[in-house]
Amino acid sequence: MAVSKFRLSHWYQAAQNASLDQKMMVVGLAITLTFVAIALFAPLFEAIGLLQDPTTFLDNQTQQPPSWQHWFGTDRLGHDVFSRTLYGSQVALQVVILATFLSMGTGVPLGLISGYLGGRLDKILLFFMDTIYTLPGLLLSITLAFVVGKGVFNAAIALSISYIPQYYRVVRNQTVSVKTELFVEAAQAMGASRWTVLSRYLLLNVIQSVPVLFTLNAADAILVLGGLGFLGLGLPAEVPEWGHDLRQALPALPTGVWWTNLFPGFAMTLMVVGLSMLGEGLNRLFGEPS
């Protein structure tokens, strides 16, 4: 018992001494990991009977309020809102992770090469990236969604384009600063190849801001994905996606059917808050991206 009390007091004292940034990161990480766990285990919950198929139409059970049988109620088509809300986290993570990795995998190498080589290539890339950066992200995603069509991969492409300039600008600016350091000049004087300088001496010194951008862009991408779904773009109608479900629920809201709006909207908001808190905590820990 004494050991247990000691451990509890130790953890309590550590929590009291933790800074606001650390607490923000922990809370944001906990929320994010909760949604990741829901996304991973949703098929298992369905297999053991805790969840219903989110695409199944329940006969004579449309717009039923929350109950023991349907915890979040049903929508106007007879879908179980609880199942669609949980599966919505899976769809959101699939699209958002794919979109952020696509933008990161494009923007980081371009920024690294542009900042290191400079010259005409740097000017051309900087012009194109600044042009994309000035366009509103949601408007650009809507336009691209019309062009590429619906689907998980297509939605990820539509989201990723607007985030590439952010990775490019941060990595490029830090590369321009770091490449003049003595250890980089020493490596070049000793005959290190460009690839060695880029991968061993520059990349590891400019990559620290990327996790911050990744989490903040992921939070923004969830909102943009929800906006595309609300407009009827991005993903097919049968896919459980929070923005699409909010669009379908909107006409029923004046009639008192509140649950079809509340739960998908709350899930989207909570996930965005969790990722934003995690990103802001990392931002304050590692410093503001340049």
Side-chain angles (χ1 to χ4, degrees):
M1 181 64 68
V3 174
S4 177
K5 288 183 178 179
F6 173 77
R7 289 177 178 174
L8 288 175
S9 62
H10 174 75
W11 286 109
Y12 178 77
Q13 186 64 34
Q16 290 292 102
N17 294 333
S19 66
L20 179 61
D21 297 343
Q22 292 172 326
K23 294 177 181 177
M24 182 183 299
M25 285 179 57
V26 169
V27 173
L29 182 61
I31 295 174
T32 303
L33 290 179
T34 299
F35 278 100
V36 172
I38 290 173
L40 291 175
F41 291 107
L44 176 61
F45 294 156
E46 182 183 350
I48 62 178
L50 293 179
L51 282 181
Q52 299 180 5
D53 186 342
T55 61
T56 298
F57 298 98
L58 304 174
D59 295 333
N60 301 321
Q61 297 189 47
T62 59
Q63 294 185 343
Q64 296 296 311
S67 62
W68 286 110
Q69 185 178 5
H70 304 291
W71 292 354
F72 289 178
T74 61
D75 61 16
R76 67 183 184 88
L77 298 176
H79 293 131
D80 182 69
V81 177
F82 181 68
S83 297
R84 290 188 67 85
T85 301
L86 265 62
Y87 268 99
S89 64
Q90 185 182 74
V91 173
L93 284 173
Q94 287 176 351
V95 175
V96 167
I97 289 176
L98 185 57
T100 46
F101 270 111
L102 284 172
S103 57
M104 180 176 65
T106 304
V108 171
L110 288 179
L112 196 65
I113 294 171
S114 177
Y116 178 63
L117 297 181
R120 181 176 298 179
L121 176 64
D122 181 50
K123 293 180 180 179
I124 293 174
L125 286 175
L126 195 59
F127 171 78
F128 279 108
M129 292 298 173
D130 285 347
T131 301
I132 297 174
Y133 190 74
T134 58
L135 299 174
L138 179 58
L139 181 60
L140 180 60
S141 297
I142 292 173
T143 304
L144 291 171
F146 272 116
V147 174
V148 300
K150 296 183 177 181
V152 171
F153 186 74
N154 292 342
I157 292 176
L159 292 174
S160 65
I161 300 299
S162 61
Y163 300 127
I164 292 175
Q166 298 183 34
Y167 291 99
Y168 169 82
R169 287 160 61 96
V170 169
V171 173
R172 183 253 179 203
N173 291 345
Q174 292 186 349
T175 300
V176 170
S177 176
V178 173
K179 74 176 184 179
T180 58
E181 296 289 339
L182 291 177
F183 67 90
V184 177
E185 295 179 352
Q188 293 171 331
M190 293 175 64
S193 64
R194 286 181 173 178
W195 170 253
T196 301
V197 173
L198 284 170
S199 60
R200 183 176 300 179
Y201 297 98
L202 290 177
L203 179 61
L204 296 180
N205 286 280
V206 303
I207 203 72
Q208 67 271 13
S209 296
V210 170
V212 179
L213 279 177
F214 185 89
T215 52
L216 295 177
N217 285 343
D220 183 71
I222 290 173
L223 291 176
V224 177
L225 178 63
L228 292 179
F230 192 81
L231 295 173
L233 305 170
L235 297 173
E238 65 273 9
V239 176
E241 193 274 315
W242 293 328
H244 172 75
D245 288 353
L246 288 174
R247 180 192 183 195
Q248 295 296 318
L250 189 61
L253 185 60
T255 64
V257 182
W258 52 267
W259 53 90
T260 53
N261 286 271
L262 175 64
F263 296 112
F266 179 75
M268 183 191 301
T269 303
L270 186 60
M271 193 171 186
V272 170
V273 169
L275 285 168
S276 298
M277 292 178 67
L278 179 59
E280 287 297 332
L282 290 172
N283 191 22
R284 296 183 185 183
L285 181 65
F286 292 115
E288 195 80 25
S290 58

